[in-house]
Amino acid sequence: MHTATRSLTYAALADLVDEAAVTLGAGRRLVLLACDNTLDTLVTYLGALAGGHVPLLAPGDRLHHLDALVAAYDPDVVAGRGDEGWRVVTRHEDRTRGEGPHDLHPDLALLLPTSGSTGSPKLVRLSHTNLDSNATAIAEALGIRPDDRAVTSLPLHYCYGLSVLHSHLAAGASVVLTDLSVVDPCFWELADRAGVTTLAGVPHTFELLDRSGFADRHHPTLRAVTAAGGRLDPGTASRYAELGARRGFDLHVMYGQTEATARMAVLPPELAATRPGTVGRAVPGGTFRVDPLGELDCGLGELVYSGPNVMLGYATTPADLARGRDVHELRTGDLGRITADGLVEVVGRRSRFAKVVGLRIDLDHVERDLADEGHDAHCVDLGDAIGVVLPEPGTGPAATEVLRRRHGIPVGAVVALDGQSAPRLSTGKPDYPGMAELLGAHREEQDHATEPPSGDRLEAVVALYRELLDTPRAGAGTSFVDLGGDSLSYVEVSLRLERVLGTLPAGWHLLAPAELVAAADRAPTRSGSRLHRVETSVVVRAVAVLLILANHTHLSFVPGGAHTLLALAGYNLARFQLTDRPRAARARGIARSALRIWAPSAAWIGVVALVAGTYDWRNVLLLNQVLGDWARWSPHWHYWFIEALAALLLGTALLVAVPAVDRFERRHRLALPLALVAVGLLTRYDVVVPDAGPYRGANAYVLIWLFATGWAAARANTWPQRLLVSAIPVLTVPGFWPTMPTRAATVCLGLLVLIWVPTVALPAWLGRAASLVAGASLFVYLTHFVVYPHLMAYSSVLAMAASVAVGVAYWQLWLRVEAAAGRAAHRAARVARLLRRAT
């Protein structure tokens, strides 16, 4: 054993260990040890093991840093460095096994914290077999010889640093004790003087080695460099493998966890340069398997390890110290695969996957992509955003752009803090909880920043999105679709955008605000024209709801408006919901649209049911088609259209949530809706005859084909495709209502216009009026059953106008209700974050 000032033989060390065992007392005690890389720590630790005690190792070079663990486990002995030097404090003289609160299981040998923080009372329970087997396995895997000498480049309380000690002692080798950092020239003077052969490092160690000029120095006795404690960048691994080939040392990339005592896999050094993305094969006595995860492909799954070094289990209270083995294999929480030649490849942590704006984000992958583009960044999950910490000032915008471009993460869903070094644990690993706190504080500062000038068109668009879509994190890189916009909000947003930008380009809902403003700047200015281009879908929606009102108020009789709206719903589903977002985001977005239909409907129908008794709870829940009176047509069937629409949206959400269906839809955009048309035609032509109630044309499962035809209309991008989809309504809609050919004509015309005419030119005032009615169409339909009957005796025109006015008023009221609810939810979330931070 070597320190900076003295050397010890094994015999001399054994004498010191025996003395330490006597000092710790008789019986079997729980010994809390505050570790530093000194002989005092080593001797006290080995003395505890030799005396049959159970050491609990913790970081910290001062006893008062251990308050949390002392309070949680009430140890019998506390040892560590105090103000007057090394101290061993016996807190309970009379405790032996079976007496007092510490009933220590016979197999229990060692307790290690699960993180680098003394604030966590969760411990890993390790047995004597765990320690012995892993020390022997590591010594064998690395080929440790009696003449080898390791150096304590890592803390002894850290399982990796401790395993360096164990494996070298097991092989009869030596260990050089030092607290010096690898960037300190004195560290290397000591290493060369003591003849160090083995250097252990975590990924951060290799960053420090690069800064210290390690590659330019030659250390003649160094023969092995080991890497574990986190994923070593493959480029770094290859570089150090090549450096070792020139300088005479081998690079051993390893993989381990505290729960497996230390290390579980070692990559043969001859593969370090050619297979740097893997961590090798299991250590002797261990095996790996992959537990597939349903949402992942390519052989990926959670790595599960079995072997004699797997822990007994966890402890969170003193009572757990009496338990024996309750873990027989280790679910690592790491995602990986086993290659054809038996090498283990770790690709990330399950817990390092974030869900942001519907995207499933691999934070480790994001960090690697940022590194590829020159950003030394660390990423954390902030719940509704990705947090990025960067040491270089002014790099936040560039890193944010990388996340948007390479991962599709909207700018508004990134919180970047540059000019700030990432905090680290005592083990050298990134302190991700600490980063989350820093980013949370940075976000609070941003939240209180003043809004940019209203004259800036880009900022005006962003502010508009934040207001109308209830998304405070909207930014210059987040499109209408990115922020969860749907057909219900589309018209209102487009109206407001036109006031800011003028004419909107085709497909504006897919453009980020920065792209949208640039497109508007490039658009030619209209000179004197009184006509205004309006999207056909907006006009069709407005005309359809007006036809419904005209029929009900007896102003005219051109039926088919509601069925046209149902086909239009399928059309808008494809445009706004079935974008390139991940599967889960798609399903959630469609379900959210169904909820946005149900909420105002339930509120209105519920009030009318209480006041007038016209409806009941089945109408409020939109379940009349399922549970209502099927014997006759009655007012309970007023809202068949809304019930059918909500049911079809929910059905679609469930459908696209199926991975195979989602993959099929992405690969064959037109094929899936055409397949649904074919399925729907089974009920259309009574091949399958469901009990459709009093009105066959009012049931969702009968109208699937119509909804799917609208979906297909949005996917038809070429002339042949448009001709194919056009044939569907022409051939299938006539005859569905044998006594009402005008209804079939209305639906056919509406679909054909959607397919072939993207926009129509209208006088500006008429275009604005059409957009207003289209935006309020759901609310006009909801309210008109209550409004028009009271005015029919006076005038059909008055009844129709009043129905539109009340519907628009309810629409505006509901928008304010949604906005208020959104603000309240954001305030509650902010308070919750503050409370979590405070506690």
Side-chain angles (χ1 to χ4, degrees):
M1 195 64 53
H2 299 261
T3 69
T5 58
R6 61 190 289 200
S7 298
L8 289 176
T9 64
Y10 268 78
L13 177 62
D15 291 339
L16 293 175
V17 169
D18 290 341
E19 292 175 11
V22 172
T23 302
L24 293 172
R28 195 154 187 254
R29 298 182 172 187
L30 179 62
V31 179
L32 177 57
L33 178 57
C35 297
D36 53 19
N37 289 358
T38 65
L39 187 61
D40 292 320
T41 290
L42 176 65
V43 168
T44 304
Y45 168 64
L46 295 177
L49 293 177
H53 305 299
V54 178
L56 193 173
L57 305 190
D61 59 358
R62 291 293 184 270
L63 292 178
H64 64 268
H65 290 171
L66 305 179
D67 292 345
L69 284 173
V70 170
Y73 286 93
D74 191 20
D76 302 303
V77 179
V78 176
R81 196 165 302 284
D83 294 333
E84 299 177 358
W86 187 260
R87 296 180 61 198
V88 177
V89 180
T90 301
R91 303 177 69 244
H92 305 289
E93 290 284 356
D94 57 347
R95 286 189 184 167
T96 60
R97 181 174 176 268
E99 299 177 359
H102 296 314
D103 184 4
L104 305 174
H105 193 276
D107 292 341
L108 183 61
L110 175 64
L111 296 165
L112 292 177
T114 56
S115 71
S117 170
T118 57
S120 172
K122 187 176 183 180
L123 306 175
V124 170
R125 297 183 290 118
L126 299 175
S127 69
H128 298 282
T129 300
N130 292 154
L131 301 183
D132 293 340
S133 65
N134 200 233
T136 303
I138 292 171
E140 179 181 343
L142 297 182
I144 299 175
R145 307 185 303 239
D147 61 345
D148 277 324
R149 289 180 180 177
V151 62
T152 56
S153 50
L154 299 169
L156 286 178
H157 73 267
Y158 176 33
C159 72
Y160 179 18
L162 191 63
S163 75
V164 173
L165 173 68
H166 288 170
S167 57
H168 281 72
L169 292 181
S174 303
V175 177
V176 178
L177 298 173
T178 180
D179 272 328
L180 295 171
S181 168
V182 294
V183 298
D184 192 329
C186 294
F187 176 94
W188 293 107
E189 291 176 10
L190 171 65
D192 290 339
R193 188 170 67 249
V196 166
T197 63
T198 306
L199 174 71
V202 297
H204 182 56
T205 306
F206 289 85
E207 296 175 14
L208 298 178
L209 289 175
D210 286 341
R211 296 176 197 168
S212 69
F214 174 79
D216 300 324
R217 299 192 304 267
H218 180 54
H219 303 287
T221 61
L222 187 65
R223 75 173 191 87
V225 175
T226 63
R231 183 180 186 274
L232 185 65
D233 177 73
T236 301
S238 297
R239 184 159 46 85
Y240 271 81
E242 294 167 359
L243 177 64
R246 297 196 304 270
R247 294 292 170 81
F249 66 81
D250 290 329
L251 176 68
H252 300 265
V253 176
M254 299 181 295
Y255 168 57
Q257 290 183 357
T258 306
E259 290 84 348
T261 307
R263 286 170 270 187
M264 297 177 284
V266 178
L267 179 67
E270 62 270 19
L271 298 179
T274 58
R275 304 296 297 279
T278 67
V279 295
R281 301 182 180 93
V283 297
T287 59
F288 281 97
R289 66 179 175 85
V290 174
D291 189 2
L293 299 178
E295 69 269 25
L296 295 174
D297 298 320
C298 307
L300 283 178
E302 183 178 12
L303 291 171
V304 182
Y305 176 82
S306 300
N309 51 319
V310 172
M311 65 176 178
L312 297 174
Y314 291 112
T316 56
T317 67
D320 294 331
L321 306 185
R323 288 164 38 213
R325 175 171 296 280
D326 50 26
V327 174
H328 298 279
E329 62 178 12
L330 177 61
R331 303 191 69 84
T332 65
D334 287 322
L335 296 176
R337 61 170 66 90
I338 299 176
T339 64
D341 52 356
L343 299 178
V344 176
E345 181 182 1
V346 181
V347 301
R349 290 285 294 170
R350 288 190 68 177
S351 59
R352 290 279 290 155
F353 278 78
K355 292 286 186 68
V356 177
V357 293
L359 301 174
R360 190 171 187 272
I361 306 299
D362 179 348
L363 296 178
D364 293 323
H365 189 189
V366 171
E367 288 183 358
R368 293 195 291 273
D369 284 349
L370 286 168
D372 288 345
E373 303 212 14
H375 300 291
D376 178 19
H378 289 86
C379 301
V380 296
D381 180 13
L382 299 180
D384 59 347
I386 299 298
V388 185
V389 178
L390 305 112
E392 293 296 325
T395 55
T400 300
E401 173 58 21
V402 172
L403 268 63
R404 187 196 69 81
R405 172 167 44 84
R406 297 186 66 161
H407 293 272
I409 305 172
V411 174
V414 178
V415 179
L417 174 59
D418 54 33
Q420 172 68 57
S421 296
R424 292 186 178 272
L425 301 170
S426 60
T427 61
K429 290 185 176 182
D431 181 4
Y432 287 110
M435 291 182 218
E437 290 186 9
L438 284 174
L439 288 158
H442 179 61
R443 170 185 272 190
E444 292 296 329
E445 293 176 4
Q446 288 183 324
D447 286 345
H448 289 94
T450 57
E451 286 292 321
S454 59
D456 186 325
R457 294 208 296 172
L458 175 59
E459 292 301 332
V461 172
V462 172
L464 188 151
Y465 279 1
R466 290 174 181 171
E467 173 193 352
L468 297 184
L469 300 178
D470 188 28
T471 51
R473 303 300 170 197
T478 51
S479 71
F480 174 84
V481 169
D482 290 335
L483 298 171
D486 55 20
S487 60
L488 295 175
S489 50
Y490 177 78
V491 177
E492 171 71 3
V493 173
S494 64
L495 282 171
R496 295 279 296 275
L497 281 177
E498 286 182 345
R499 298 174 193 169
V500 176
L501 302 176
T503 302
L504 297 178
W508 66 263
H509 56 289
L510 301 174
L511 300 178
E515 299 167 324
L516 188 54
V517 171
D521 290 339
R522 293 192 299 268
T525 304
R526 295 193 303 269
S527 55
S529 174
R530 296 183 179 180
L531 295 180
H532 184 62
R533 305 297 307 185
V534 181
E535 281 195 23
T536 302
S537 63
V538 173
V539 176
V540 169
R541 191 194 300 189
V543 171
V545 76
L546 290 176
L547 287 178
I548 294 170
L549 294 182
N551 290 338
H552 290 175
T553 59
H554 301 164
L555 193 63
S556 68
F557 187 72
V558 183
H563 292 88
T564 302
L565 287 176
L566 203 62
L568 181 61
Y571 180 84
N572 285 329
L573 168 83
R575 296 179 68 210
F576 303 126
Q577 303 295 351
L578 297 178
T579 58
D580 290 330
R581 292 181 296 174
R583 170 171 51 86
R586 285 175 152 195
R588 282 197 302 269
I590 299 170
R592 179 176 177 268
S593 292
L595 177 63
R596 293 191 67 205
I597 290 170
W598 174 80
S601 302
W604 177 264
I605 297 170
V607 170
V608 176
L610 289 174
V611 174
T614 310
Y615 311 113
D616 60 23
W617 62 272
R618 290 166 294 192
N619 297 109
V620 173
L621 297 179
L622 301 185
L623 292 176
N624 185 67
Q625 290 191 11
V626 179
L627 304 174
D629 180 6
W630 285 50
R632 60 189 178 85
W633 183 265
S634 70
H636 290 280
W637 283 82
H638 280 167
Y639 296 107
W640 70 266
F641 162 69
I642 295 177
E643 291 190 23
L645 177 57
L648 288 166
L649 288 175
L650 288 175
T652 306
L654 293 173
L655 188 65
V656 300
V658 177
V661 175
D662 180 71
R663 289 193 296 269
F664 180 81
E665 195 281 331
R666 292 175 190 273
R667 295 169 185 161
H668 311 286
R669 295 282 186 164
L670 184 58
L672 181 59
L674 290 179
L676 291 175
V677 169
V679 171
L681 289 176
L682 296 177
T683 57
R684 156 68 180 89
Y685 288 107
D686 297 331
V687 177
V688 176
V689 186
D691 187 359
Y695 184 36
R696 179 166 168 263
N699 278 274
Y701 42 73
V702 177
L703 297 172
I704 292 173
W705 116 90
L706 205 55
F707 178 81
T709 301
W711 180 347
R715 292 296 193 224
N717 297 318
T718 66
W719 280 76
Q721 289 176 346
R722 292 190 184 101
L723 287 171
L724 174 63
V725 176
S726 297
I728 297 173
V730 171
L731 296 175
T732 63
V733 171
F736 185 61
W737 299 279
T739 61
M740 285 188 255
T742 53
R743 187 186 297 272
T746 300
V747 175
C748 281
L749 179 61
L751 276 166
L752 292 174
V753 168
L754 283 176
I755 294 168
W756 293 100
V757 185
T759 62
V760 294
L762 297 174
W765 66 269
L766 186 56
R768 287 192 294 271
S771 297
L772 181 67
V773 173
S777 57
L778 170 67
F779 300 84
V780 171
Y781 186 91
L782 274 172
T783 59
H784 85 284
F785 289 109
V786 174
V787 176
Y788 80 84
H790 301 288
L791 300 173
M792 286 289 292
Y794 300 99
S795 166
S796 293
V797 174
L798 177 61
M800 185 170 174
S803 296
V804 172
V806 171
V808 171
Y810 183 35
W811 175 44
Q812 292 299 312
L813 173 63
W814 190 258
L815 290 176
R816 285 161 176 76
V817 169
E818 281 190 327
R823 288 192 297 270
H826 291 304
R827 284 195 297 269
R830 181 180 299 176
V831 170
R833 288 199 305 268
L834 293 173
L835 289 175
R836 285 196 302 270
R837 197 171 298 136
T839 55

